[in-house]
Amino acid sequence: MKYIKIPFLLVWRLWFYILIVVTIILLLPLFLFLSSKETYYAAFWKVARFWSKILVYGMGFRLKVTKDQELDRNKSYMFCPNHASLMDPFVLILLSKNPIVFVGKKEFVKIPIFGFIYKRVVIMVDRNSQESRKKVYKLAKEKLQNGTSMAIFPEGLVPTENVILAPFKNGAFSLAIEFDMPIVPQVYYDCKRLFSWDFFKGSPGVFRIHQHKFMETKGLNLNDVETLKQQTFDIIYNDLVADFKYMKDTNRPNNEREFKSPI
C-alpha cells in the first residue's frame, strides 16, 4: 500500500511547485508594484494573503485554529511559531489580516523570482554577521508602525524530522523587548506530518494551530531575554509533546534522516 501511494504523492508534490510558480508569475506585476514603496505594504499584504490562501487551500489543506486570546488590530506583536515545513510561512500569512514583517535568512534571496520579491519585503539577516544583526533593529524601527507586526521562526532553521523543537535563537525576544511587543506563541501541529521536506510523505488534511495567550514584554529589559525565550520554548514544546499525532510522526521508525530546507 505504501508504494502504491508514491506516484500520487509525487504528482501532488509536483502540483505544489506548479501552483507556486504559476501564481507568482500571474501576481508578479502586483507584487513588484506594491513592494516598491513602504506605503503600499498594507496592500501588498492583502495580495500576499490571497496568494497564501491559493497555496494552502489549493493543496487540499484546511485550518483549524484555537485562540486563547484575540489580537488587537491596532497593536504590534511578535509572532513566534514552531518551524517544520515549507507551508509554515503561508499559514502564518493566512492567519493575520494585519500586515506582518518577517525577519528571515538572506539565503532565500537565491530562489528565482521569489527571491527578488523576498528581499524587497523581508528584513534579511545574516546570522553570522554582528553588523547584519544590528541593522535588523534599524529596519524594524522603520517598519513597525500603524499596527504592523513582526514574525520570526525562533528555531532559526527547519529541524530534522525526529526533533520535537529545536533550541530558540535570541533575536525574536530581543526585538520584542526592544519594541515592547507582546510575544504570540503559535503551535503548528500538522505541517511537518502533512507537508515536510520528505517527498514520500504527506497528504491533504487539516492544519491545527494553537495561538496561546500573549506574553507581555512591557517593563522587561535585555537581561530578561533568556527567561522570555525559555518560557516561550516551554509553552510550544509542552503543546507538541502532548499531541499524539505530532509525537507519533516525530518518533516514527527510520526518522533520523535529515529532511529539511535545502537552502
Side-chain angles (χ1 to χ4, degrees):
M1 184 65 181
K2 176 184 173 183
Y3 296 104
I4 293 173
K5 287 172 60 178
I6 288 176
F8 296 99
L9 276 172
L10 293 176
V11 169
W12 182 64
R13 287 281 181 158
L14 179 62
W15 167 242
F16 173 74
Y17 292 103
I18 292 171
L19 198 59
I20 203 167
V21 169
V22 169
T23 50
I24 283 180
I25 290 171
L26 290 175
L27 294 172
L28 190 59
L30 270 177
F31 279 141
L32 291 176
F33 175 70
L34 295 175
S35 64
S36 63
K37 285 187 180 180
E38 201 71 48
T39 52
Y40 298 160
Y41 192 71
F44 175 89
W45 185 255
K46 289 180 182 178
V47 177
R49 288 191 74 234
F50 172 71
W51 181 46
S52 298
K53 191 176 289 189
I54 291 173
L55 296 177
V56 171
Y57 293 119
M59 289 302 294
F61 299 121
R62 289 175 292 121
L63 303 184
K64 183 180 180 182
V65 185
T66 302
K67 296 180 181 179
D68 293 347
Q69 188 174 347
E70 292 290 339
L71 300 171
D72 181 340
R73 294 286 296 272
N74 298 311
K75 285 186 69 173
S76 296
Y77 298 90
M78 173 63 77
F79 291 91
C80 290
N82 58 303
H83 198 12
S85 167
L86 182 59
M87 273 292 167
D88 297 335
F90 300 114
V91 169
L92 179 53
I93 291 169
L94 192 51
L95 287 173
S96 179
K97 292 180 181 178
N98 266 29
I100 294 175
V101 174
F102 283 84
V103 176
K105 296 187 290 187
K106 70 182 183 70
E107 288 83 358
F108 284 106
V109 173
K110 299 173 185 176
I111 302 174
I113 305 176
F114 174 81
F116 181 74
I117 301 164
Y118 177 86
K119 70 181 178 182
R120 297 174 75 165
V121 297
V122 171
I123 298 175
M124 290 179 293
V125 59
D126 179 355
R127 291 191 171 92
N128 298 316
S129 166
Q130 182 68 30
E131 192 60 35
S132 175
R133 292 199 295 272
K134 284 180 182 175
K135 270 187 186 175
V136 169
Y137 284 90
K138 180 178 179 294
L139 292 170
K141 198 165 187 176
E142 293 169 2
K143 290 178 180 290
L144 288 176
Q145 51 189 331
N146 303 322
T148 300
S149 294
M150 292 188 74
I152 298 179
F153 292 100
E155 293 165 277
L157 48 76
V158 180
T160 54
E161 296 278 287
N162 60 341
V163 172
I164 297 170
L165 187 67
F168 285 179
K169 310 291 185 186
N170 288 343
F173 310 99
S174 301
L175 284 166
I177 290 171
E178 178 78 16
F179 297 111
D180 287 331
M181 291 185 291
I183 299 279
V184 182
Q186 289 184 333
V187 182
Y188 298 171
Y189 299 101
D190 306 293
C191 295
K192 178 174 73 173
R193 181 171 56 86
L194 298 177
F195 201 83
S196 77
W197 290 98
D198 183 352
F199 268 52
F200 299 101
K201 167 191 164 189
S203 68
V206 177
F207 287 152
R208 293 167 298 141
I209 295 103
H210 184 184
Q211 180 169 289
H212 280 267
K213 190 173 180 180
F214 314 148
M215 302 173 67
E216 293 295 335
T217 59
K218 196 171 182 62
L220 300 183
N221 59 53
L222 293 181
N223 293 324
D224 300 306
V225 166
E226 284 298 325
T227 302
L228 185 62
K229 180 175 72 171
Q230 189 60 50
Q231 288 173 343
T232 308
F233 181 92
D234 290 344
I235 286 170
I236 297 175
Y237 181 86
N238 292 336
D239 239 18
L240 293 174
V241 167
D243 187 74
F244 173 77
K245 289 181 179 178
Y246 186 87
M247 292 306 296
K248 183 181 178 183
D249 177 68
T250 301
N251 294 327
R252 72 188 193 281
N254 303 315
N255 197 25
E256 68 283 353
R257 295 170 296 172
E258 293 197 6
F259 288 113
K260 57 183 179 180
S261 167
I263 297 176

